Amino acid sequence: MWNLLAFENLTPLNWTNVLKALTILWQGLLAIFIVIGLIIIAVKLINGAINKIEKAKAEKAAQAEQETKTE
Amino acid sequence: MSFLYETIIQITPQHVAMWIIGGLLIYLAIKKDMEPALLLPMGFGAILVNIPMSPVIEDGGILKSLFQVGIEASEAMPLLLFIGIGAMIDFGPLLTNPKLFILGGAAQLGIFITIILATLIGFPLVDAASIGIIGAADGPTAILVSQILKSNYTAAIVVVAYSYMALVPIVQPAVVRLCTTKNERKIKMRYSAKQVPTLTRILFPVVVTVIAGLIAPDSLSLVGMLMFGNLIRECGVLKSLSETAQTTFANIITLLLGITIAFQMQADKFLQFETLIIMALGLFAFVFDTVGGVMCAKLMNLFSKEKINPMLGAAGISAFPMAARVVEKMGIKEDPSNHLLMHAVGANVSGQIASAIVGGLIIGLVL
């Protein structure tokens, strides 16, 4: 028959499990924000490095163009 | 002549109830357009596996075999689907504004709060964690985590996860309005369509995989497959593979996944009082995901010169692209000139990554 009114699978207020769940909460949130923080730093570093390289390339190209014009 | 009625006499009220539930899922898929790619096969499968003496669930039966090979053995189906999902995602809006990633992380709060609540109600920790993962708002993640943790409620968890993902446009706006003021909802955000360098797009999936793998190694299967799919998309030299991953491959896996998961929708496993509790907890998870994201955005505004519209926090859940569209709609409603879509998409795709990482974290922390 249906287990509609049977709570045999549930053990309410099992404080051991609740404490474990609280541990999972702080450890999980800490870990996810550490991972996210590292990814954000990595993305900013990559973007920064690529922008620097492109800026240097653009300056080099502009310099080369100016030298050609002077000649 | 008994062969004509020996199956009929074995029909029980539970079987009939599951037929009705299967029919309801099919109705929701077709008439209400609620995640039809999953709910329709699951609904049909629920009917299929609840016909007495159904050979599909016997040893060597097609659904049992698909389940054993595709899900039980190595969670292959949800992981392979993640390749397709990764190939579909454009991380450009996130890469132009990486701090939106924080909202993706904060919008996973509902997972952890739900685990606590589920343990208070009395679920064993593995089941509580599997129920909490409904808050990831991601079907493959929910399937994978509940399978690895060997939860007794996988079918209910998956049905609830997909159902609430489809109900995001109904659940989220009310929660967002409760957590924000009218002035906060009117905050305008400029969007500059900066071109993201191709090299950044190629390095991003590799970097994410390495970082996630080093800090949360249990998330590597999910994150790795997601990022592999994205790398295929962004590398520029595998156009046909990318197209296949996004379309045919994803469709085949989706088709098989839905009907395979239905193996778990046998009446004795699904028709339990706990299923009703799981439905309530699933809603709770989505509500607190939204609260987490919105509150995090408001917190970021305390330290940021350029204000973030706190509604973007709601887009941090993994239900892509529905959550982003909800935020865009709410933004336009408050101010017709305030288009938040690209920012919302950035937060939304960050939620895809964050939910996969959290799924792995949950597995590692529980086992």
Side-chain angles (χ1 to χ4, degrees):
Chain A
M1 288 304 289
W2 292 20
N3 290 335
L4 275 178
L5 296 173
F7 294 95
E8 56 216 28
N9 297 328
L10 303 180
T11 50
L13 302 177
N14 180 332
W15 296 112
T16 315
N17 279 347
V18 174
L19 281 169
K20 282 186 193 160
L22 285 165
T23 309
I24 290 170
L25 168 72
W26 76 261
Q27 286 179 343
L29 286 175
L30 180 67
I32 186 67
F33 282 112
I34 288 174
V35 172
I36 283 169
L38 288 172
I39 292 172
I40 291 173
I41 291 168
V43 169
K44 289 202 180 234
L45 284 173
I46 292 169
N47 281 338
I50 291 172
N51 286 339
K52 256 189 183 160
I53 293 169
E54 285 182 350
K55 205 175 171 182
K57 273 189 189 167
E59 277 172 7
K60 216 174 175 182
Q63 219 172 25
E65 211 184 306
Q66 207 163 26
E67 279 172 10
T68 323
K69 276 186 184 168
T70 329
E71 279 168 17
Chain B
M1 289 294 281
S2 63
F3 70 94
L4 288 173
Y5 57 78
E6 64 182 353
T7 307
I8 297 169
I9 58 173
Q10 290 186 55
I11 295 171
T12 62
Q14 291 99 304
H15 289 134
V16 176
M18 287 309 297
W19 296 348
I20 294 169
I21 289 169
L24 179 64
L25 292 178
I26 293 171
Y27 169 80
L28 290 172
I30 297 173
K31 265 294 192 185
K32 301 293 179 186
D33 201 25
M34 273 174 68
E35 294 289 333
L38 266 303
L39 289 191
L40 189 135
M42 286 177 73
F44 186 80
I47 296 170
L48 196 58
V49 304
N50 286 291
I51 295 172
M53 297 167 68
S54 177
V56 300
I57 57 171
E58 303 295 328
D59 284 332
I62 182 66
L63 288 195
K64 188 166 185 178
S65 302
L66 279 172
F67 186 82
Q68 284 171 336
V69 171
I71 295 180
E72 220 171 30
S74 59
E75 293 78 41
M77 282 188 195
L79 289 172
L80 291 174
L81 183 57
F82 251 39
I83 297 176
I85 293 171
M88 291 178 209
I89 298 178
D90 175 10
F91 285 113
L94 176 63
L95 293 170
T96 55
N97 191 3
K99 70 179 181 216
L100 291 174
F101 218 143
I102 300 172
L103 300 179
Q108 311 308 314
L109 177 71
I111 297 172
F112 299 101
I113 304 288
T114 304
I115 293 174
I116 295 169
L117 192 61
T119 52
L120 276 168
I121 290 171
F123 284 97
L125 193 60
V126 288
D127 290 322
S130 304
I131 294 166
I133 211 69
I134 293 172
D138 187 66
T141 306
I143 294 169
L144 185 115
V145 171
S146 58
Q147 268 306 121
I148 291 179
L149 296 182
K150 296 192 190 336
S151 171
N152 296 314
Y153 308 104
T154 300
I157 287 165
V158 173
V159 169
V160 169
Y162 278 109
S163 302
Y164 282 126
M165 277 160 62
L167 290 174
V168 155
I170 298 169
V171 171
Q172 282 205 310
V175 180
V176 169
R177 274 192 289 270
L178 271 170
C179 297
T180 53
T181 63
K182 207 169 174 66
N183 286 339
E184 284 173 334
R185 293 196 291 275
K186 283 185 168 174
I187 291 174
K188 248 185 169 138
M189 293 178 68
R190 290 177 296 127
Y191 180 75
S192 56
K194 268 188 281 177
Q195 265 291 93
V196 179
T198 308
L199 187 58
T200 306
R201 287 177 178 271
I202 291 172
L203 287 175
F204 180 71
V206 178
V207 163
V208 169
T209 305
V210 170
I211 292 175
L214 290 174
I215 308 284
D218 291 297
S219 68
L220 257 180
S221 349
L222 281 166
V223 174
M225 293 297 112
L226 187 72
M227 292 297 121
F228 173 55
N230 192 248
L231 184 59
I232 292 173
R233 175 198 170 95
E234 298 295 355
C235 68
V237 295
L238 293 173
K239 285 195 166 54
S240 67
L241 279 191
S242 171
E243 214 178 283
T244 304
Q246 291 179 51
T247 53
T248 320
F249 182 71
N251 285 342
I252 290 172
I253 301 292
T254 303
L255 192 149
L256 290 173
L257 185 62
I259 195 119
T260 303
I261 275 294
F263 173 76
Q264 296 271 40
M265 292 186 75
Q266 293 164 58
D268 54 345
K269 289 178 188 156
F270 194 82
L271 288 178
Q272 303 176 73
F273 184 69
E274 288 90 333
T275 301
L276 294 173
I277 302 177
I278 290 167
M279 288 169 88
L281 287 171
L283 178 62
F284 191 83
F286 271 72
V287 165
F288 269 86
D289 277 346
T290 308
V291 169
V294 169
M295 288 307 177
C296 182
K298 289 171 79 155
L299 187 64
M300 284 167 73
N301 279 344
L302 295 175
F303 303 101
S304 177
K305 268 185 277 180
E306 238 181 273
K307 300 294 173 199
I308 300 172
N309 190 311
M311 292 196 292
L312 288 189
I317 72 169
S318 178
F320 181 83
M322 219 129 29
R325 280 199 213 132
V326 164
V327 169
E328 159 76 351
K329 239 178 154 176
M330 290 186 75
I332 290 174
K333 201 175 174 186
E334 298 293 339
D335 177 357
S337 65
N338 192 8
H339 291 275
L340 297 169
L341 184 65
M342 293 316 286
H343 301 286
V345 166
N348 210 183
V349 298
S350 77
Q352 283 271 299
I353 300 174
S355 66
I357 296 171
V358 167
L361 281 169
I362 297 284
I363 292 167
L365 291 170
V366 171
L367 288 179

